[in-house]
């Protein structure tokens, strides 16, 4: 993972839909950017304690540029507004990445479902599925056609893509897409929480892969209690109080760790677990990864017990 401290240069600035800004970024010296695979995202560092994650939605084979799409969020914390209003062609933007918790796994068939700006990580997945020869379809919903980014780019795929604006056809009809999910099929979904929850309800176990922009509603976690965390590499032991996250306790002890969203959605703070059982509260890890207990997101997850040993 790379942090471009001097910044990547904004090469192009375009409007993809109402409220959606597309920025194409290049290295200031024209050097190739790190490679990435469909599903990857980068952290855009806008200032102290102000970082935002954006999916890479260009062509992974083109390492001369990265492309991200930014939805203006009037009720957000200011990150999207800053990019929309203050960043122009030629400006530099600090970027960290890429990182991928939403990888496209090999499959014979794919069912893609996207809502709104959730189309961004799906775009390069479609090209990869096409290249692999897999059978696939995309159901893409949004408030209106004017708000649905990249609809024009999707026309080349013909009737494999269904574009369903809510103001024309109502809420997405998931039945025709998900009722025929069979062996060898994977479902990839990105978009608003209610859409992801609806897709999750319809999918059989093991076939769904999602990426969330907001943390999933917490359920089934233990009550917050005090526990100890031993930091294997630094030789320190810190006490994590009930109202303090592992991340904050570790940082207060003077150990620097990478973090970004502090909500368990970006994966930046994922840390290896040496001993102990995590109480997973993130929206990133799969059920299999949680059961294995080999890593945890220390910004939100805690301990099932009295002690954890982390690779920090």
């Amino acid at each position: 993972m790379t942090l471009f401290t001097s910044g990547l240069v904004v090469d192009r600035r375009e409007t993809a839909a109402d409220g959606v800004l597309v920025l194409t970024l290049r290295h200031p010296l024209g050097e190739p950017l790190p490679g990435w695979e469909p599903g990857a995202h980068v952290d855009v560092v806008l200032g102290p304690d102000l970082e935002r994650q954006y999916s890479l939605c260009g062509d992974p084979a083109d390492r001369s540029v990265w492309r991200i799409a930014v939805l203006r969020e009037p009720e957000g914390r200011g990150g999207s507004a800053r990019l929309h209003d203050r960043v122009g062609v030629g400006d530099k933007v600090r970027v960290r990445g890429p990182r991928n918790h939403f990888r496209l796994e090999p499959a014979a068939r794919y069912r893609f479902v996207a809502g709104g700006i959730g189309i961004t990580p799906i775009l390069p997945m479609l090209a990869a599925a096409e290249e692999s020869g897999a059978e696939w379809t995309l159901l893409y919903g949004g408030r209106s056609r004017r708000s649905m980014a990249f609809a024009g780019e999707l026309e080349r795929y013909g009737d494999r893509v269904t574009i369903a604006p809510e103001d024309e056809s109502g809420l997405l009809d998931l039945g025709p897409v998900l009722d025929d999910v069979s062996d060898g099929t994977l479902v990839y979904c990105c978009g608003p929480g209610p859409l992801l929850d609806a897709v999750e309800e319809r999918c059989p176990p093991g076939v769904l892969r999602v990426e969330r922009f907001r943390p999933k509603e917490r359920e089934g976690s233990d009550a917050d209690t005090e526990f100890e965390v031993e930091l294997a590499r630094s030789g320190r032991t810190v006490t994590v109080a009930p109202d303090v996250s592992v991340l904050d306790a570790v940082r207060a002890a003077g150990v620097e760790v990478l973090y970004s969203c502090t909500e368990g959605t970006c994966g930046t703070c994922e840390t290896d677990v040496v001993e102990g059982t995590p109480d997973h509260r993130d929206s990133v890890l799969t059920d299999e990864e949680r059961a294995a207990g080999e890593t945890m997101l220390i910004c939100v997850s805690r301990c099932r017990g009295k002690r954890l040993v982390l690779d920090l």
Side-chain angles (χ1 to χ4, degrees):
M1 183 177 60
T2 302
L3 171 60
F4 295 95
T5 53
S6 61
L8 296 181
V9 176
V10 177
D11 193 57
R12 291 193 299 276
R13 174 189 164 102
E14 305 164 281
T15 299
D18 286 353
V20 179
L21 169 68
V22 176
L23 297 177
T24 301
L25 310 173
R26 61 173 172 81
H27 193 282
L29 300 178
E31 298 177 3
L33 298 175
W36 59 280
E37 297 178 352
H41 71 259
V42 294
D43 305 326
V44 177
V45 184
L46 298 168
D49 298 321
L50 184 60
E51 298 183 16
R52 296 293 179 267
Q53 291 73 46
Y54 298 103
S55 297
L56 292 171
C57 56
D59 178 4
D62 184 0
R63 294 184 57 186
S64 67
V65 293
W66 284 346
R67 184 174 74 161
I68 61 173
V70 182
L71 173 67
R72 181 187 286 275
E73 301 185 79
E75 306 302 320
R77 293 177 289 175
S80 65
R82 181 173 299 193
L83 288 171
H84 273 257
D85 298 338
R86 302 186 189 179
V87 175
V89 173
D91 290 341
K92 289 186 176 181
V93 180
R94 293 181 67 204
V95 179
R96 179 188 293 117
R99 182 183 296 105
N100 200 340
H101 285 279
F102 194 41
R103 296 184 185 278
L104 185 68
E105 302 171 24
R109 289 173 297 280
Y110 297 101
R111 297 292 177 261
F112 298 104
V113 181
I117 199 63
I119 189 63
T120 51
I122 300 295
L123 273 181
M125 291 185 180
L126 303 182
E130 181 82 353
E131 185 176 357
S132 73
E135 185 268 312
W136 63 269
T137 63
L138 165 67
L139 177 61
Y140 177 23
R143 294 187 307 276
S144 68
R145 289 185 184 273
R146 293 182 304 174
S147 69
M148 298 173 68
F150 307 114
E153 291 188 22
L154 295 170
E155 291 178 356
R156 64 190 178 102
Y157 294 120
D159 60 7
R160 279 173 293 179
V161 173
T162 300
I163 294 180
E166 186 176 349
D167 62 352
E168 297 178 18
S169 53
L171 296 177
L172 288 181
D173 183 5
L174 299 174
V177 177
L178 301 180
D179 287 349
D180 68 342
V181 172
S182 57
D183 289 345
T185 302
L186 290 179
V187 178
Y188 279 79
C189 181
C190 186
L195 172 62
L196 271 61
D197 293 340
V199 171
E200 191 172 41
E201 288 179 3
R202 282 183 170 268
C203 284
V207 306
L208 178 61
R209 308 290 185 267
V210 302
E211 183 169 63
R212 292 181 178 270
F213 299 138
R214 298 288 182 270
K216 188 175 182 180
E217 185 176 348
R218 174 183 160 188
E219 56 184 42
S221 293
D222 293 337
D224 292 352
T225 58
E226 183 176 287
F227 58 95
E228 288 191 343
V229 173
E230 179 182 335
L231 310 179
R233 276 188 278 156
S234 56
R236 302 183 186 183
T237 297
V238 300
T239 299
V240 182
D243 58 346
V244 175
S245 70
V246 176
L247 173 65
D248 288 342
V250 168
R251 294 184 69 231
V255 178
E256 289 300 318
V257 293
L258 290 176
Y259 70 97
S260 183
C261 72
T262 69
E263 295 181 327
T265 59
C266 74
T268 304
C269 68
E270 184 175 3
T271 301
D272 288 343
V273 177
V274 180
E275 292 181 23
T277 304
D279 176 14
H280 295 291
R281 304 183 180 187
D282 65 273
S283 302
V284 173
L285 299 180
T286 64
D287 290 341
E288 292 78 10
E289 289 170 332
R290 293 183 179 197
E294 296 175 352
T295 67
M296 65 183 288
L297 271 64
I298 62 174
C299 67
V300 292
S301 297
R302 300 184 69 82
C303 176
R304 293 189 183 274
K306 294 295 184 180
R307 181 173 174 272
L308 283 172
V309 181
L310 301 180
D311 185 24
L312 289 172

